Amino acid sequence: MSGAGFAAPHVDYAATAPIIALTVGLVVILMSGVFETTKRWAPGLAVMTLAATAGLLLWHWNDQIDLIAGALRVDNLAISISLIAIVSAFSTILLSIRERAAEEAGQGEYYALLIGSVLGMVLLSEAENLVTFFVAIETLSIPLYILCATNLRREGSLESGLKYLIVGSLGSATLLYGMAFIYGGTGSTDFAGIAHGIQANGMLHDPLILIGIALAAVGLAFKTSIAPFHQWTPDVYQGAPTPITNFMAVATKAAAFAVFVRFFVVALGPETGDWQLGLAILAAISIVVGNVGAIGQDSLKRLLGYSGVAQAGYMLGGIVVASEKGLSSLVFYLAAYLFMNLAAFAVIVARERETPYGDDIRGVRGLMAERPSLAWPLTISMLALAGLPATAGFIGKLYLIEALVEGSYTWLAVFIAVGTMISLAYYLRVVAAMWMGGEETAAGTSAAPGATPVISGASPEADPVDPEAGRRWYLLAPAVIAAGITVFLGVIPQPLVDFATHAGSSLF
């Protein structure tokens, strides 16, 4: 009687090695924070964990492996998205050097939470079952709720963590309700079983399944910052420590979009005609709301938050067409978005530490005269996010527009083009402040290290001013390298096109 009929699922330890590496690394990093002599090892241990995971993922490039009774699947889509999350996490570790939030939270705890979130992202990108889908999205989210609030002395940080927890929980609950409806209609939790159940049980266009699809779409829209479910994004982006905002802006989107496309294309493939138009309308709303909302922002992090809402609308277009080209264009844009955002956030971190203005646009006024090495990366980032030629952003949008036109969603492609024109109003405003603004930050940079000057309108929660922050390699190198890659991929996009094409072919 005691388990006589139970057959344990086969576990391919070679294919699950990346997950094992992240889990072991997380435990070791957390333990390192217990001892005074080892807690400073945490950033290095986190980098080693990410490097080992990336190597193990690349080992399985071009493989198609189902894991643990089909609960997970290792393929090029999962590997591509996981690598994007890992690169984003590595950049976050660099930006977190001398970060007050990491010191206040504890080095071991801070980096263990970061690796824990990456673990959730890898699981989410491989999920092929409703149970693993939900467990992975919670594994991703819960560490981020805490990381957003790690700057304990800032009211805005604590508020952002609480707000993200409340809204994220609402999104998770909505997603779970949608899963329950879909499971009730199909009798299966596996994505392939759901697709079979919809057809075999005569549930095509059934209200039970349609309600489940709607609720699941809303839940995922919360996670990917798609309007009108984006309200938390600007506030959380502004309040969270900037390195964590950098991580959330790209990695969370990448993992959520990976399972978004896998769930809708694989599990809900028979219902494609019912969800395509709904997602297209959400994409159009997100493009308009994000671009219009960003126009009046003085906070660079809030501006990038609203920009992220618009960018999520562009990316959703890759899922709407439900084609190999659509998925390839999505992966291409996510990878390009990683470098465009990193260049911007690295500069914001540097200016937060150099000036008393925090993330206010005044912090970059006159930056070209004062710090050309920071002004150029931020300029390239803004132009790339706007989608100007000779940048990866231009190629990415062109790729998405082409996929939409081929998929008979030309009207959504027009929304992307119009949204791009609207976005110039706020992206070029940042560029103009750097190139034509006066040196308003001079008083901040002339202060003694460790002192925060009293300047009218300065952020009351600004970090102590470090005049040399913008010259420190761990901030300057990510900004310059990311900007260089953004231009390189805009001029020679073929390497990234090939990478994205391999990922896109995974589901088709």
Side-chain angles (χ1 to χ4, degrees), residues 91-92 95-96 99 101 110 147-148 150-151 154 157 236-249 300-301 304 341 344-350 352-353 358-359 463:
S91 69
T92 301
L95 300 186
S96 295
E99 172 63 34
Y110 182 89
L147 285 169
C148 286
T150 46
N151 206 331
R154 286 189 174 182
S157 179
V236 173
Y237 274 34
Q238 185 179 22
T242 306
I244 299 305
T245 305
N246 166 69
F247 180 64
M248 292 170 56
L300 292 176
K301 286 163 72 175
L304 288 172
N341 261 276
F345 280 109
V347 175
I348 293 172
V349 171
E352 281 183 327
R353 299 179 189 179
D359 66 309
D463 289 331

Side-chain angles (χ1 to χ4, degrees), residues 238-305:
Q238 185 179 22
T242 306
I244 299 305
T245 305
N246 166 69
F247 180 64
M248 292 170 56
V250 178
T252 305
K253 271 191 178 63
F257 270 118
V259 76
F260 207 134
V261 68
R262 200 184 289 276
F263 181 53
F264 273 76
V265 171
V266 176
L268 303 177
E271 297 278 5
T272 300
D274 292 317
W275 56 255
Q276 272 184 311
L277 181 59
L279 292 188
I281 292 171
L282 279 180
I285 293 172
S286 198
I287 291 168
V288 173
V289 170
N291 282 312
V292 173
I295 291 174
Q297 301 301 320
D298 289 325
S299 161
L300 292 176
K301 286 163 72 175
R302 289 185 69 87
L303 183 149
L304 288 172

